[in-house]
Amino acid sequence: MSRPPASSTPPSLQTLNGAWELAPSLDEQWRFRGLHTGAPQAVGAFARTAWMPARVPGSVHADLLRAGVIPDVRVGLHSVEAEWVAARQWVYRRTFRVDLPAGGRLWLRFGGVDWAATVFLDGEELGRLEGAQATSRLRLPDLERHTKHSLVVVLDAPPAGQGQLGRTSQTRTLRPRYGYWWDFCTRLIQVGLVGDVTLERDGGAALLDVAALVSLSADGRRGQVRVDVAHDGAEDLPVTATLTHPDGRQETRTGRADDLCFDLAEPQLWWPRGLGEQPRYHLSAQLDGSAPVSCRFGVRDVQLVHNAASAARGAMPYTLQVNGVPVYARGFNVLPVDMTAGMDGAPERERAVIEYAAAAHATLLRFNGVAPFASQTMLEACDDLGVLVWQELPLTSSGTDNVPPALETFGSVLDAGLPPLLRRLHGHPSVALLGAGNELTGADRRPVHSEHPTIAHMLTHVRRAGLTQPFMPTSPSGPTYDLDETVARTRPEDLHDVHGPWHYRGVRDSYRPHAISRALMHSEFGCQAPARERSLRRFVRPDPWPMDDRVPEVVHHGEWWLMRHRVEEVFGPVADLRRYVLLGQAAQGDVLRHALTWNRSRVGECSAALVWQLNEPWPNAHNTAVLEYDLSPKLAYYRCREANAPYALHWGLDAPVAAATLTLRPAVLADTPGRGRVELRQLTPGGTCVWERHLDVTWPGEATSLSLPIIGEPTLLRGRVLDDAGALLAESEQWVAPDRPTPFAALADLPDTRIHVDTDGSQLTVTNAGRVAAPWLSLEALEDGLEVFSDSGFTLLPGESRSVTATLRGLDGAARPFTLSVQAVNVAPVHVEVTP
């Protein structure tokens, strides 16, 4: 897209980002010591304040880590040692000279403070700040241009808050609660100057922000862009707006700030990934004497519409429709990349998370109310890659009650905090769905409705902000909260939008709920797995074995997700960490693929399936994420990618075990109709074929029910989907076994086999040179970076070879040489050097 030329407006902005200094204060010790004055301290009875380097924007924790004051909070039990940070006030300071021209008005602008602060200039109080995503402007006197000025920001101690096991009804701020402890992260209550700090000059009026409010005709052939300018004192002044089309054409209008609009004929529509392109428009606004403001935006229509099932049940509509085209929403719940703001490489990691989601064929990502809003970097990446976003407002469930706070006590909080939050969503065509919060219920644990006074007030703010996206009162939206098996069997019509299950519960209980579900939307479900051995030794402890509650660090890094007992119920006793990690990750991948394909097989009834969760903001020993903290994919990532691909094979199993025969209902899951052939084989670990079927199929269509013999050992099902011309569209593997205690123990106890890996640049050929299968071959880079592998977690039978592409990218996007480790349960790690 061509960009408009740079503005010739005289300098009106000066950044104060970068190097600051930082010091702690117990209570108002800062006032006693005069830290707010910026004056030097004399040698005397009172020790002088020790200042340390700080970065703005950033956070106190990040600065303390860099200074070596606190240990790495990601490692071991160190986060407990850092909890004192939230029991202090913190003082930021710096000096500056004003480099802006004299005359006019001078302002100090803060892009966000976590959570509240008092600002002092040259020892005089300027004002108060509050809100990590709220922009504040403080008027300055006409400062002397050649003099150094002292700027001091004193952060309050963080407000009291409740972690996962508190009471939602007692929520008193819009501060995201996950930092007070959640099942996927530690207690790490953040403080800091998390937004940009700038000096701004204007000639008596200022433009603060601009947004494009787009309306579109029903046929999508005409549109209007209303220019929404946030300003200070520009009501009657001429504002000039310039609209740049995706093809570079420009239009300009001049008029009052509240009376500017553009008509669009045949607008270039933004489409979700796979349905079209993602063109963006550019809008800028200028006012004499003020810095120009600009934004990018996309043009699209998004609705929630009924399918036949939701209409028949009298449910809410759950099918996303973009530009008149229904979209089956498959994807993930997403979290911030780090609990600690200001960590090195965060924007690049944020972009990488969205790229991983897009590569796994996600069409919708849910950012739920427990964590901060999706960052601008993440939203821009979703806009660019065509991935839809479901953004919830910052309210979330609790262990004691999930009841939204009463409007009488929370209304003023919403009035102050929601407008700046909601304005951050303008212009992002990817933002397709909004919600009031995560898992909000009445006292009876039934999900709340839009009529709840607090929820209704939030919706009023959403519409007042000019956001037209569909709005969900909460998720799950009920009437049944979770995927309850009794309800599924007796009252399936009550399964609308549901959550769960999340825990691995063996080879029947982990699978059965998904096979009998009749949910219209499955917006949160998961299964845990251990992290990679390398991650465990790096972040948990050098030797984390036996990976259960006898190891305090293992408990600290995921106390709700221990699973060794469950792994051993399925695979028998596990004696070492390497095998445990592979078996646990294989189990997670199998369950998530099973859940995703069962949901997808019900397209027409089910409108969405979102895995909890894509990533994690803190390194866990066990967790439901499919990307680890350092963004290493677990094996489950590849199984999610398989299940969500344009073509996928659904096995139609109730569970991977049976007494004598197993019923398969194989079906082709495809984004477009077609016909072709499905080839199925059942093989022993030694490679002998014991059953085979070839089916001519049409998709969509009724699944064929087949009976599969269960022999005395685990066997491998292989399936391939071919089109009419014989081209491979999809393939899948599924291990099955007799229904008995430790049904897959034989796989965990297979004799060792030998693996050869030949490399040709990033192209690998992996060969099983032994006499037994190598189940769940795992490919891992031994260096930090972003793995871009064509597959991992597959099985090689004796004598088989498999071609795989493997690239490791740095955060800068460049491919780099690395050491690849290839291993399986019965294959010790084989290391090869890969050069792109």
Side-chain angles (χ1 to χ4, degrees):
M1 182 188 95
S2 64
R3 298 297 181 96
S7 170
S8 59
T9 302
S12 52
L13 298 176
Q14 177 184 337
T15 181
L16 296 183
N17 286 347
W20 288 56
E21 290 184 306
L22 181 70
S25 174
L26 277 170
D27 302 319
E28 293 195 39
Q29 187 183 66
W30 59 270
R31 194 183 299 276
F32 175 78
R33 290 176 171 271
L35 301 187
H36 59 300
T37 68
Q41 295 172 329
V43 175
F46 295 100
R48 288 171 291 176
T49 300
W51 294 89
M52 67 193 78
R55 292 184 196 171
V56 173
S59 70
V60 170
H61 282 90
D63 293 329
L64 297 180
L65 282 167
R66 282 188 284 265
V69 175
I70 60 175
D72 191 337
V73 295
R74 300 166 297 184
V75 174
L77 302 175
H78 290 336
S79 71
V80 177
E81 301 172 43
E83 288 186 10
W84 64 269
V85 174
R88 301 290 192 275
Q89 294 180 316
W90 290 90
V91 183
Y92 281 87
R93 77 173 185 181
R94 66 159 293 163
T95 59
F96 67 94
R97 286 188 173 92
V98 180
D99 295 332
L100 301 175
R105 301 186 303 179
L106 198 60
W107 300 87
L108 187 60
R109 183 167 179 163
F110 291 86
V113 58
D114 201 356
W115 179 252
T118 305
V119 182
F120 296 87
L121 178 69
D122 295 334
E124 298 296 325
E125 182 174 336
L126 273 182
R128 291 278 296 166
L129 310 172
E130 183 172 313
Q133 299 189 70
T135 298
S136 302
R137 297 170 77 236
L138 302 177
R139 180 74 183 270
L140 301 179
D142 189 17
L143 298 177
E144 168 61 46
R145 263 45 178 182
H146 303 292
T147 300
K148 274 189 176 182
H149 299 280
S150 168
L151 177 59
V152 176
V153 181
V154 181
L155 272 68
D156 298 355
Q162 301 185 70
Q164 190 164 3
L165 300 180
R167 294 180 182 269
T168 304
S169 59
Q170 298 303 310
T171 301
R172 293 296 180 265
T173 74
L174 291 178
R175 195 167 203 252
R177 285 175 48 199
Y178 80 136
Y180 292 88
W181 188 87
W182 221 262
D183 62 77
F184 53 78
C185 58
T186 190
R187 183 177 176 89
L188 208 61
I189 303 171
Q190 292 292 292
V191 287
L193 292 178
V194 295
D196 296 325
V197 181
T198 55
L199 281 178
E200 300 182 354
R201 174 193 169 278
D202 63 56
L207 302 184
L208 307 179
D209 187 21
V210 64
L213 304 183
V214 182
S215 57
L216 198 60
S217 64
D219 61 4
R221 302 190 63 180
R222 298 178 309 283
Q224 186 178 75
V225 179
R226 183 165 67 84
V227 182
D228 179 23
V229 179
H231 61 85
D232 175 17
E235 295 89 347
D236 299 317
L237 299 177
V239 175
T240 298
T242 300
L243 176 68
T244 304
H245 294 251
D247 60 8
R249 291 182 295 116
Q250 289 190 335
E251 302 177 58
T252 299
R253 302 277 188 275
T254 300
R256 288 170 51 92
D258 59 356
D259 193 28
L260 287 169
C261 65
F262 296 87
D263 292 324
L264 298 177
E266 302 292 341
Q268 298 182 58
L269 299 180
W270 182 95
W271 288 92
R273 187 178 185 85
L275 294 180
E277 301 300 316
Q278 293 79 42
R280 306 279 294 284
Y281 290 77
H282 185 276
L283 179 65
S284 63
Q286 291 184 311
L287 173 71
D288 286 346
S290 172
V293 290
S294 64
C295 66
R296 295 175 73 198
F297 67 96
V299 177
R300 54 94 184 96
D301 175 72
V302 60
Q303 306 288 336
L304 276 180
V305 299
H306 281 292
N307 61 20
S310 62
R313 297 187 199 175
M316 294 173 54
Y318 291 111
T319 301
L320 275 168
Q321 179 179 278
V322 181
N323 301 330
V325 177
V327 176
Y328 176 68
R330 51 187 181 254
F332 304 91
N333 290 264
V334 182
L335 291 163
V337 298
D338 209 301
M339 295 188 71
T340 303
M343 297 293 278
D344 294 339
E348 293 81 6
R349 294 177 68 213
E350 289 174 339
R351 174 84 188 190
V353 164
I354 305 304
E355 290 174 347
Y356 270 119
H361 312 290
T363 58
L364 178 65
L365 302 178
R366 175 173 173 253
F367 293 81
N368 91 1
V370 66
F373 263 35
S375 71
Q376 292 301 304
T377 300
M378 283 182 155
L379 291 178
E380 285 285 345
C382 289
D383 293 339
D384 293 343
L385 296 172
V387 180
L388 298 173
V389 168
W390 176 357
Q391 178 65 68
E392 289 185 341
L393 303 182
L395 272 181
T396 188
S397 59
S398 302
T400 307
D401 79 49
N402 301 336
V403 179
L407 184 59
E408 294 76 18
T409 59
F410 204 56
S412 60
V413 174
L414 297 176
D415 295 342
L418 280 187
L421 279 177
L422 295 170
R423 195 163 183 91
R424 298 171 68 90
L425 302 179
H426 277 297
H428 292 292
S430 58
V431 179
L433 187 59
L434 301 175
N438 173 62
E439 298 178 346
L440 305 174
T441 73
D444 58 358
R445 205 170 176 266
R446 291 173 67 86
V448 296
H449 298 289
S450 296
E451 293 75 22
H452 186 286
T454 300
I455 307 301
H457 195 68
M458 297 172 85
L459 178 56
T460 298
H461 273 289
V462 168
R463 299 300 179 232
R464 188 178 297 157
L467 297 171
T468 60
Q469 291 93 335
F471 181 85
M472 300 277 283
T474 189
S475 181
S477 54
T480 298
Y481 182 96
D482 49 14
L483 180 50
D484 184 280
E485 290 188 43
T486 301
V487 175
R489 296 186 187 281
T490 62
R491 305 192 316 277
E493 67 277 4
D494 284 349
L495 295 178
H496 295 182
D497 168 26
V498 299
H499 283 190
W502 298 270
H503 282 89
Y504 184 62
R505 298 180 295 178
V507 291
R508 283 205 171 275
D509 291 350
S510 300
Y511 292 80
R512 185 176 56 250
H514 304 290
I516 65 173
S517 173
R518 299 291 305 279
L520 301 172
M521 173 184 273
H522 203 177
S523 53
E524 188 178 313
F525 60 90
C527 180
Q528 80 269 40
R532 291 182 178 185
E533 182 178 0
R534 177 171 174 262
S535 296
L536 292 169
R537 296 192 186 281
R538 178 181 181 183
F539 292 116
V540 180
R541 68 186 322 192
D543 183 10
W545 193 249
M547 287 292 286
D548 57 28
D549 59 10
R550 289 171 286 180
V551 182
E553 292 87 347
V554 169
V555 173
H556 187 60
H557 288 257
E559 65 181 279
W560 282 19
W561 303 107
L562 305 183
M563 65 182 299
R564 182 179 168 189
H565 61 300
R566 293 296 195 185
V567 170
E568 293 189 337
E569 288 174 7
V570 174
F571 295 102
V574 181
D576 64 85
L577 180 64
R578 187 181 70 83
R579 286 181 173 83
Y580 173 74
V581 167
L582 289 173
L583 294 172
Q585 290 203 6
Q588 180 193 35
D590 204 52
V591 170
L592 292 183
R593 180 185 59 185
H594 174 86
L596 285 168
T597 57
W598 266 111
N599 278 308
R600 190 177 175 189
S601 74
R602 297 186 297 108
V603 168
E605 177 178 65
C606 182
S607 297
L610 305 178
V611 170
W612 179 269
Q613 67 217 68
L614 178 61
N615 62 311
E616 60 186 14
W618 186 72
N620 286 271
H622 297 92
N623 189 250
T624 49
V626 301
L627 296 177
E628 297 180 18
Y629 168 78
D630 65 1
L631 303 189
S632 298
K634 295 179 184 175
L635 298 185
Y637 172 79
Y638 297 95
R639 303 290 70 80
C640 292
R641 191 170 75 183
E642 173 194 328
N644 287 333
Y647 296 94
L649 177 62
H650 172 50
W651 289 103
L653 296 169
D654 292 340
V657 295
T661 60
L662 189 67
T663 300
L664 306 179
R665 306 170 193 86
V668 177
L669 310 177
D671 293 342
T672 55
R675 58 182 298 116
R677 187 177 181 84
V678 173
E679 298 178 349
L680 306 171
R681 302 175 72 204
Q682 180 185 16
L683 303 117
T684 68
T688 301
C689 182
V690 297
W691 180 89
E692 187 169 7
R693 294 290 187 276
H694 292 178
L695 306 173
D696 292 325
V697 296
T698 300
W699 56 84
E702 293 295 325
T704 301
S705 185
L706 303 173
S707 293
L708 179 81
I710 292 296
I711 62 176
E713 62 178 336
T715 52
L716 179 66
L717 300 182
R718 285 260 180 88
R720 304 195 327 147
V721 179
L722 310 168
D723 67 12
D724 270 346
L728 181 65
L729 300 178
E731 54 188 342
S732 185
E733 298 179 337
Q734 173 72 61
W735 284 99
V736 297
D739 189 4
R740 61 191 181 198
T742 62
F744 289 102
L747 292 182
D749 293 332
L750 283 173
D752 289 349
T753 190
R754 293 177 293 113
I755 292 293
H756 293 163
V757 183
D758 297 316
T759 64
D760 182 7
S762 59
Q763 189 71 36
L764 314 176
T765 302
V766 186
T767 302
N768 183 351
R771 298 183 178 181
V772 296
W776 303 300
L777 270 166
S778 172
L779 281 61
E780 302 177 6
L782 297 186
E783 294 85 7
D784 290 339
L786 307 174
E787 294 180 358
V788 185
F789 296 174
S790 61
D791 203 0
S792 185
F794 53 87
T795 293
L796 282 182
L797 295 173
E800 285 187 334
S801 295
R802 178 89 173 252
S803 293
V804 183
T805 57
T807 301
L808 187 72
R809 292 194 292 109
L811 291 178
D812 59 0
R816 57 180 58 177
F818 69 100
T819 304
L820 178 73
S821 172
V822 182
Q823 60 178 313
V825 176
N826 58 337
V827 177
V830 175
H831 296 164
V832 295
E833 301 303 314
V834 178
T835 303

